[in-house]
């Protein structure tokens, strides 16, 4: 028994390392597909790793007014997102780290990271930072309830808020077309787009002063601090990708801890994320960036969809 | 010494802390004596409460005080023990904090010994409310608390705003007390006596029980600051000295919650789920309303006061969920809701106490409450900034601090909705949880604004630029509460293991599974359904710091001016302001507030010349004033005028009135 526990914890650690290690790859993939689709010369798939390595090597430049909070924030943000990644089942279910935090705590980790990032934006005392923080907190205060609503739909169906258990429940239920899940999927996807700062809410590639949100907050970061924040952003995107992939299409995830099942798990999640990445690119290519004050409508719609999902669950699907 | 005797010591020490300083000639010593006695009172309250709570004992006694036919009944059980600890913790922190803080008032025109007197009786009154075991002594203690706190609100009575706040507070406290009194009256009618024991035994018909519940909910809710009867709170809390604000917001509101819990769960024996729906809806309304109003405030203490309304709303939501589940026949789930409510009571006392003390520290050094006049304090007041940050993270319900634990428990309770039979309730509960989620997200945004504008960035005024760290006593008080925020956040299993004696007393149910997996894992329902391990979360964050700070090779740090778009140096005035920060939310939820915004542009010549001056005025008013309070005030004055018609001022008319009244009475008698 102790041996099994040690093995399980070891596997959980490996899974987490794989998660954070693969996150830049997903970002590189999205970038590459996007360039191809828009007829631009594409960077290499491993370009994000090179960028991170470069930033880690560079000297640390801080603004004159930066306090200790500004320097601590990258570590807190990174830690929160690594913890979040540890609790999301990537290739195998029932890992011991999944019990540290359920899906509500996962949302809490995102909120913790966002809180400190927004504070860091205000720390220097430039207008950009404040603007980014204000917009980020505005968007978050609308997207967080929508996300929890979508998650609650899942929790009410599976009778648990533990992600691993919920995915297992979905896996056991087989291919059932649940209207509630369809709504929750749409809601969660819209939230994911807003939270990860993708088009049409925010443009990860922009440095145009009046439109940037996330980039405005991290404008004063450089060197290792910036690397940690960029990496954390990539992990966040991957977490949302894995959540959507594994909750709604759990097939292929390893239920037992043997080599064959784990191998299938790795291939399955890689295939799912590849597909999701392409979908995201298509979406970002055909949609234009939205004005800031259109964002509440977008997120309100996401909330409404998630709410509909929850109501459908309560009204139509009780007892199943 | 029995726990009850220690509780008496706490009450007496608090009262003495008010009286003794009057006898001490020198003001300096008077303050020391007062706060030393308050510390004694606080420690005694904590000891008494802890021994009642951990020993799970109920001690009752009759004191030879009060009316000849109604002696004072006192009782100390696990519920009042828990609230003794809540009061004790915050009072202890303020007794460290107070002596230095009050030094500023010694040179003022108001004698601080008056403040000692009022706060001593205020605390003694609160402790007596917890001990009271009959309606009579409860109301006496309740009034002592109310009147003493009125004196605290009007302490600086030279400002008209304070006198107005004090009057409003006293008026609403008295209206609320009438509600409570009538509620007790209904129970005493059926129970046959004014003791709580008789009320518990009384066989109250369901309809009358609902009437009693409504009266008590109104009365206690008014004191707790639920909407729409909250109007006194954002007026009264900001104007008291900050350590008293900490007590009023952190503790006095909780005494009202205590009263509500005692009345509903203990005295009204059979709980109806419909009450739960009312409490849940009003709680959700208070939470959302409170946080939205807090978000747009500029005045730091007023913002904290609105945030108290939000947190009372959250506590009421948890109590509502608990009532729904208990009334629906699911006592285990009801127990989770109750534990969540109690946990949030303790948490809110700790972090709101901390934040008010922190705002007092800022006020002490900068004499500013307006966020727009602060900034950059993290460089000038490092300890205050650090503990204030802890308070902000805790109140924003972020892991791994304490606010998160209680909100997580409330979410877990709400998600047990499928257990209920009623389809409407099954829908209502998750929606309530969504409201809580929105509230939590907005609270985080609010406290980013508070901390970011007041403590980060650059100083916006000279006062803020020259602030210094506060004296040691004040720091000790704040650090104590900040440490508790961390402890209560990281060791929820231990805390719940102790407070789950309270649902055992009130609804006859424990939470055996919450603590079944050791101190590391919190599993309120069962480990399959949900688990949370706060210690591991803290460990992981600490580990990442260790790796980042120690293990990665050190790089040299270069300091440069921030990016200024190539235009010349940035000034303090170019920073984002609190108003600007709140603007997007203000625009999205515009109908919530009564906003008057004016922009005046002055130009030198014709209309298209470049502007020479810009003046922006923003006034945000509470909508409930316009919708509720002003019409009521209007009617009261109208009614007074109408009745005033019979006041002719002539003696003959009054004699006629007396004669007619006498005739009427004689007619009734015969």
């Amino acid at each position: 028994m102790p041996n099994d526990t040690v093995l399980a914890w070891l596997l959980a650690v490996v899974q987490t390392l794989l998660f954070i290690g693969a996150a830049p790859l997903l970002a590189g993939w999205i970038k590459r597909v996007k360039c191809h689709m828009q007829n631009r010369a594409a960077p290499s798939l491993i370009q994000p790793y090179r960028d991170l390595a470069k930033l880690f090597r560079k000297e640390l430049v801080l603004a004159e007014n930066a306090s200790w909070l500004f320097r601590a924030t990258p570590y807190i943000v990174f830690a929160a997102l690594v913890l979040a990644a540890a609790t999301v089942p990537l290739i195998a279910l029932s890992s011991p780290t999944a019990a540290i935090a359920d899906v509500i705590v996962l949302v809490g980790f995102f909120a913790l990271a966002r809180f400190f990032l927004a504070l860091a934006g205000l720390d220097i005392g430039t207008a950009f930072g404040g603007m980014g923080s204000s917009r980020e907190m505005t968007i978050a205060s609308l997207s967080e309830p929508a996300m929890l609503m979508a998650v609650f739909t899942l929790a009410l169906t599976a009778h648990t808020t533990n992600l691993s258990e919920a995915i297992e429940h979905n896996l056991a239920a087989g291919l059932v077309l649940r209207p509630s899940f369809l709504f929750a999927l749409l809601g969660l996807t819209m939230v994911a787009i807003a939270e990860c700062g993708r088009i049409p809410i925010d443009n990860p590639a922009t440095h145009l002063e009046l439109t940037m949100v996330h980039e405005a907050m991290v404008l004063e970061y450089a060197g290792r601090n910036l690397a940690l924040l960029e990496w954390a952003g990539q992990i966040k995107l991957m977490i949302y990708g894995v959540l959507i992939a594994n909750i709604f299409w759990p097939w292929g995830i390893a239920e037992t801890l043997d080599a064959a099942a784990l191998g299938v798990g790795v291939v399955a999640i890689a295939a799912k994320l590849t597909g999701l990445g392409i979908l995201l690119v298509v979406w970002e290519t055909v949609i234009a960036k939205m004005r800031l004050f259109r964002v509440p409508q977008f997120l309100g719609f996401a909330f409404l969809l998630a709410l509909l999902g929850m109501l459908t669950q309560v009204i139509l699907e009780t007892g199943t | 010494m029995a726990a009850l005797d220690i509780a008496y010591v706490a009450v007496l020490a608090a009262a003495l802390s008010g009286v003794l300083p009057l006898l001490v000639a020198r003001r300096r010593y008077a303050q020391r004596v007062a706060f030393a006695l308050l510390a004694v009172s606080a420690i005694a309250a904590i000891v008494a409460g802890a021994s009642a709570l951990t020993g799970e004992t109920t001690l009752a006694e009759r004191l030879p005080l009060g009316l000849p036919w109604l002696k004072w009944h006192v009782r100390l059980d696990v519920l009042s023990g828990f609230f003794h600890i809540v009061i004790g913790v915050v009072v202890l922190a303020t007794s460290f904090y107070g002596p230095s803080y009050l030094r500023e008032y010694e040179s003022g025109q108001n004698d601080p010994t008056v403040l000692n007197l009022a706060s001593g009786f205020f605390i003694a009154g609160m402790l007596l409310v917890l001990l009271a075991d009959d309606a009579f002594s409860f109301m006496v203690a309740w009034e002592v608390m109310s009147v003493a706190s009125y004196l605290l609100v009007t302490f600086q009575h030279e400002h008209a705003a304070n006198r107005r706040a004090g009057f409003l507070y006293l008026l609403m406290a008295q209206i609320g007390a009438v509600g409570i009194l009538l509620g007790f009256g209904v129970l005493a009618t059926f129970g046959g006596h004014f003791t709580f024991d008789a009320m518990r035994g009384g066989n109250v018909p369901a309809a009358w029980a609902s009437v009693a519940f409504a009266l008590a909910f109104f009365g206690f809710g008014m004191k707790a600051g639920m909407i729409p009867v909250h109007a006194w709170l954002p007026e009264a809390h900001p104007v008291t000295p900050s350590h008293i604000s900490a007590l009023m917001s952190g503790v006095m509101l909780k005494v009202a919650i205590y009263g509500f819990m005692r009345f509903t769960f203990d005295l009204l024996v059979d709980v109806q789920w419909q009450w739960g729906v009312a409490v849940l809806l009003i709680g959700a309304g208070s939470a959302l309303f409170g946080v939205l109003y807090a978000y747009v405030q500029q005045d730091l203490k007023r913002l904290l006061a609105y945030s108290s309304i939000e947190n009372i709303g959250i506590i009421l939501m948890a109590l509502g969920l608990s009532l729904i589940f208990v009334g629906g026949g699911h006592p285990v789930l009801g127990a989770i809701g109750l534990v969540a409510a109690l946990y949030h009571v303790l948490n809110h006392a700790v972090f709101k106490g901390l934040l008010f003390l922190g705002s007092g520290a800022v006020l002490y050094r900068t004499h500013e409450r307006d966020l727009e006049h602060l900034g950059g304090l993290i460089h000038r007041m490092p300890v205050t900034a650090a503990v204030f940050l802890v308070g902000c993270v805790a109140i924003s319900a972020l892991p791994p601090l304490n606010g998160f634990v209680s909100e997580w428990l409330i979410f877990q309770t709400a998600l047990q909705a499928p257990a209920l039979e009623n389809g409407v309730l099954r829908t209502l509960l998750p929606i309530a949880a969504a409201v809580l989620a929105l509230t939590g997200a907005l609270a985080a945004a609010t406290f980013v604004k508070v901390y970011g504008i007041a403590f980060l960035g650059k100083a916006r005024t000279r006062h803020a630029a020259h602030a210094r760290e506060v004296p040691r006593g004040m720091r000790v008080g704040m650090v104590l509460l900040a440490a508790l925020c961390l402890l209560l956040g990281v060791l929820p299993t231990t805390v719940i293991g102790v407070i789950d004696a309270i649902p055992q007393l009130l609804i006859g149910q424990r939470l055996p599974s919450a603590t079944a997996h050791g101190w590391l894992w919190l599993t309120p329902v069962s480990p399959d359904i949900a688990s949370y391990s706060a210690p591991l979360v803290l460990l992981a964050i600490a580990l990442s710091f260790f790796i980042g700070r120690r293990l990665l090779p050190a790089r040299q740090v270069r300091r440069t001016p921030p990016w200024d778009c190539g235009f010349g140096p940035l000034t303090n005035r170019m920073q984002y302001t609190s108003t600007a920060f709140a603007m997007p939310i203000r625009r999205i939820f515009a109908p919530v507030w009564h906003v008057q915004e004016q922009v005046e542009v002055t130009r030198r010549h014709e209309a298209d010349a470049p502007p020479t001056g810009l003046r922006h005025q923003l006034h945000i008013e509470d909508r409930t004033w316009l919708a509720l309070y002003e019409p009521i005030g209007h009617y009261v004055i109208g009614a007074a005028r109408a009745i005033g018609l019979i006041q002719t001022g002539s003696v003959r008319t009054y004699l006629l009135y007396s004669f007619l009244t006498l005739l009427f009475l004689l007619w009734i008698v015969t």
Side-chain angles (χ1 to χ4, degrees):
Chain A
M1 184 62 199
N3 248 342
D4 275 2
T5 319
V6 170
L7 191 70
W9 275 96
L10 205 67
L11 205 73
V13 170
V14 170
Q15 180 169 280
T16 310
L17 289 178
L18 188 69
F19 202 121
I20 58 175
L25 192 65
L26 179 67
W29 166 249
I30 290 171
K31 188 93 173 231
R32 198 175 163 79
V33 177
K34 197 170 186 177
C35 286
H36 277 306
M37 190 159 279
Q38 299 173 349
N39 272 338
R40 294 186 278 143
S44 143
L45 207 53
I46 57 164
Q47 189 58 37
Y49 293 102
R50 291 190 192 135
D51 290 344
L52 288 180
K54 179 189 74 186
L55 286 173
F56 268 111
R57 278 197 308 271
K58 288 183 92 165
E59 75 172 335
L60 208 55
V61 183
L62 286 177
E64 278 153 356
N65 193 36
S67 66
W68 59 266
L69 191 123
F70 189 81
R71 301 186 70 175
T73 295
Y75 297 99
I76 296 174
V77 170
F78 191 73
L81 283 157
V82 170
L83 261 172
T87 60
V88 176
L90 179 70
I91 51 177
L93 286 175
S94 16
S95 91
T97 47
I100 294 181
D102 67 352
V103 68
I104 301 172
V105 187
L106 184 77
V107 177
F109 288 146
F110 288 150
L112 179 72
R114 188 188 310 121
F115 187 87
F116 276 93
L117 206 54
L119 285 182
L122 286 161
D123 188 44
I124 307 297
T126 64
F128 286 140
M131 189 177 70
S133 302
S134 164
R135 291 179 177 177
E136 175 89 357
M137 293 317 285
T138 306
I139 293 172
S141 56
L142 299 171
S143 68
E144 210 181 283
M147 165 140 194
L148 277 172
M149 228 36 207
V151 160
F152 288 166
T153 309
L154 174 79
L156 287 173
T157 310
H159 301 291
T160 171
T161 55
N162 183 312
L163 263 176
S164 186
E165 301 278 340
I167 292 172
E168 211 171 330
H169 177 272
N170 288 354
L171 205 54
L175 187 65
V176 186
L177 187 65
R178 291 176 182 277
S180 63
F181 270 33
L182 198 64
F183 284 124
L185 169 65
L186 285 173
L188 189 61
T189 313
M190 290 171 82
V191 168
I193 287 168
E195 287 268 303
C196 296
R198 311 299 302 194
I199 292 174
I201 305 297
D202 188 10
N203 186 352
T206 189
H207 279 98
L208 185 66
E209 285 90 345
L210 291 177
T211 57
M212 55 186 178
V213 180
H214 178 83
E215 291 300 319
M217 281 194 295
V218 302
L219 198 62
E220 292 298 328
Y221 275 108
R224 179 195 292 165
N225 290 340
L226 183 61
L228 283 173
L229 289 178
E230 298 248 306
W231 198 356
Q234 290 159 355
I235 294 172
K236 188 170 182 182
L237 181 66
M238 175 123 161
I239 291 174
Y240 273 102
V242 171
L243 275 181
I244 291 171
N246 277 349
I247 289 175
F248 298 102
W249 295 278
W251 296 281
I253 197 164
E255 288 176 88
T256 50
L257 299 183
D258 57 68
L262 290 177
V264 172
V266 171
V267 174
I269 191 67
K272 287 182 228 172
L273 287 178
T274 311
L276 276 178
I278 295 173
L279 284 179
L280 180 67
V281 167
V282 173
W283 166 265
E284 289 202 311
T285 307
V286 299
I287 293 276
K289 165 110 174 46
M290 212 179 247
R291 279 178 63 220
L292 183 70
F293 285 103
R294 297 281 299 224
V295 170
Q297 289 167 24
F298 179 87
L299 288 170
F301 186 55
F303 182 75
L304 206 65
L305 283 173
L307 184 70
L308 273 177
M310 204 273 304
L311 290 180
T312 324
Q313 202 282 330
V314 171
I315 295 164
L316 297 181
E317 298 167 19
T318 38
T320 56
Chain B
M1 227 175 5
L4 208 47
D5 296 324
I6 306 176
Y8 298 149
V9 170
V11 175
L12 287 178
L16 274 181
S17 85
V19 179
L20 271 191
L22 295 176
L23 311 175
V24 181
R26 288 188 50 189
R27 278 185 174 186
R28 209 6 115 47
Y29 293 120
Q31 291 304 321
R32 284 190 193 159
V33 169
F35 283 101
L37 278 167
L38 276 190
V40 170
S41 165
I43 291 168
I46 293 173
V47 170
S51 81
L53 190 56
T54 53
E56 296 188 26
T57 48
T58 300
L59 301 163
E61 208 170 65
R62 273 171 61 181
L63 293 183
L65 292 167
L67 304 176
W69 40 271
L70 185 61
K71 298 290 179 208
W72 279 25
H73 293 66
V74 292
R75 185 169 122 127
L76 182 65
D77 59 12
V78 286
L79 183 64
S80 43
F82 173 77
F83 280 88
H84 265 94
I85 298 176
V86 172
I87 294 182
V89 165
V90 183
V91 172
L92 187 63
T94 54
S95 64
F96 284 114
Y97 182 93
S100 313
Y101 184 72
L102 274 187
R103 214 164 287 160
E104 191 162 323
Y105 290 83
E106 276 169 18
S107 52
Q109 54 174 307
N110 300 308
D111 187 355
T113 45
V114 176
L115 199 63
N116 293 136
L117 187 68
S119 52
F121 276 93
F122 172 54
I123 293 164
M126 290 195 291
L127 290 169
L128 273 178
V129 168
L130 303 184
L131 286 175
D133 197 29
D134 63 87
F136 178 68
S137 58
F138 187 95
M139 290 314 294
V140 169
W142 186 265
E143 290 299 326
V144 168
M145 174 180 93
S146 290
V147 173
S149 53
Y150 164 75
L151 295 177
L152 294 169
V153 174
T154 52
F155 173 61
Q156 285 165 305
H157 50 79
E158 63 275 15
H159 303 295
N162 297 10
R163 294 196 299 271
R164 180 174 169 274
F167 173 72
L168 185 68
Y169 170 57
L170 194 64
L171 181 70
M172 294 187 71
Q174 292 314 313
I175 294 174
V178 169
I180 299 168
L181 193 65
L182 291 176
F184 279 134
V186 172
L187 292 192
T189 311
F190 289 96
H193 203 265
F194 280 102
T195 61
F196 286 173
D197 260 339
M199 291 183 189
R200 277 184 206 106
N203 198 1
V204 190
W208 277 108
S210 293
V211 170
F213 168 79
L215 286 166
F217 185 40
F218 170 77
F220 288 118
M222 204 167 225
K223 193 74 173 178
M226 72 181 187
I227 60 151
V229 286
H230 66 280
W232 63 273
L233 198 151
E235 305 295 324
H237 285 202
V239 302
T240 51
S242 296
H243 68 296
I244 303 294
S245 310
L247 285 177
M248 285 183 73
S249 225
V251 179
M252 187 183 74
L253 306 183
K254 307 302 149 20
V255 174
I257 293 289
Y258 163 80
F260 177 67
M261 289 177 77
R262 173 69 73 197
F263 197 97
T264 313
F265 285 91
D266 192 12
L267 301 186
L268 288 166
V269 179
D270 292 318
V271 167
Q272 298 171 21
W273 62 264
Q274 289 90 338
W275 304 346
V277 176
V279 177
L280 180 67
L281 290 179
I282 289 190
S286 301
L288 200 54
F289 174 94
V291 75
L292 281 171
Y293 271 83
Y295 194 66
V296 296
Q297 300 303 320
Q298 312 287 348
D299 181 326
L300 180 53
K301 287 178 77 178
R302 206 174 156 83
L303 185 150
L304 292 176
Y306 270 112
S307 148
S308 290
I309 297 178
E310 173 219 336
N311 280 284
I312 287 295
I314 294 173
I315 294 168
L316 287 178
M317 283 174 84
L319 287 175
L321 288 171
S322 178
L323 284 172
I324 289 176
F325 281 116
V326 172
H330 299 280
V332 184
L333 302 178
I336 304 175
L338 201 60
V339 165
L342 290 165
Y343 212 125
H344 203 72
V345 163
L346 182 58
N347 288 343
H348 182 242
V350 173
F351 55 61
K352 191 48 69 64
L354 171 60
L355 290 172
F356 264 117
L357 294 187
S359 74
V362 172
L363 195 60
Y364 183 75
R365 283 302 189 209
T366 65
H367 302 279
E368 284 290 352
R369 285 187 348 207
D370 190 339
L371 287 174
E372 311 284 28
H373 296 164
L374 296 169
L377 294 177
I378 194 168
H379 303 288
R380 311 287 312 175
M381 306 168 75
V383 177
T384 309
V387 292
F388 204 88
L389 180 66
V390 170
C392 286
V393 174
I395 200 170
S396 304
L398 299 173
L401 294 187
N402 58 353
F404 181 75
V405 178
S406 39
E407 290 206 12
W408 186 76
L409 285 171
I410 299 173
F411 280 129
Q412 293 299 342
T413 320
L415 285 180
Q416 303 307 315
L420 292 165
E421 305 293 315
N422 187 325
V424 178
L425 284 184
R426 276 207 303 268
T427 322
L428 181 69
L429 264 54
I431 294 178
V435 171
L436 183 61
L438 181 60
T439 308
L442 285 170
T446 306
F447 284 92
V448 165
K449 180 185 104 162
V450 169
Y451 198 78
I453 303 290
F455 285 87
L456 304 178
K458 292 177 187 156
R460 289 178 176 77
T461 53
R462 208 162 46 84
H463 286 309
H466 294 112
R468 284 182 296 128
E469 187 53 88
V470 291
R472 195 172 59 200
M474 291 170 74
R475 279 178 301 186
V476 170
M478 294 189 287
V479 167
L480 181 77
L481 291 177
L484 270 177
C485 280
L486 189 64
L487 273 183
L488 290 172
V490 175
L491 299 173
T493 322
T494 318
V495 180
I496 289 175
V498 176
I499 59 178
D500 90 351
I502 298 169
Q504 170 72 27
L505 172 83
L506 296 182
I507 48 187
Q509 185 65 51
R510 266 177 197 285
L511 287 180
S513 63
T515 51
H517 299 265
W519 61 276
L520 206 50
W521 304 97
L522 177 64
T523 50
V525 190
S526 84
D528 289 348
I529 289 179
S531 54
Y532 169 48
S533 173
L536 288 180
V537 171
L538 185 70
L539 184 74
I541 292 178
L543 198 68
S544 102
F545 261 95
F546 179 72
I547 293 173
R549 280 258 167 262
R550 303 272 158 200
L551 299 189
L552 292 182
R555 292 252 177 263
Q556 82 189 83
V557 177
R558 188 156 59 88
R559 294 265 181 179
T560 59
W563 172 237
D564 53 14
C565 300
F567 286 103
L570 299 170
T571 69
N572 306 340
R573 303 262 299 156
M574 292 178 188
Q575 296 180 85
Y576 234 50
T577 59
S578 155
T579 321
F581 192 93
M583 191 279 248
I585 293 276
R586 208 171 64 229
R587 195 160 152 178
I588 294 166
F589 293 94
V592 175
W593 306 276
H594 184 76
V595 182
Q596 289 164 302
E597 195 171 8
Q598 272 189 324
V599 182
E600 281 173 38
V601 184
T602 47
R603 294 172 203 277
R604 200 165 293 147
H605 304 295
E606 61 277 13
D608 54 345
T612 52
L614 202 60
R615 193 179 150 79
H616 176 245
Q617 266 191 324
L618 180 71
H619 188 68
I620 298 174
E621 211 171 344
D622 200 325
R623 271 212 183 277
T624 53
W625 268 109
L626 302 172
L628 187 67
Y629 292 89
E630 282 182 4
I632 289 181
H634 195 71
Y635 287 130
V636 168
I637 292 173
R641 285 226 179 87
I643 295 170
L645 288 180
I646 63 169
Q647 307 270 13
T648 57
S650 138
V651 175
R652 279 169 299 176
T653 336
Y654 292 128
L655 282 175
L656 181 69
Y657 292 155
S658 311
F659 178 65
L660 289 177
T661 313
L662 208 62
L663 272 188
F664 178 72
L665 289 176
L666 280 173
W667 177 68
I668 286 186
V669 170
T670 53

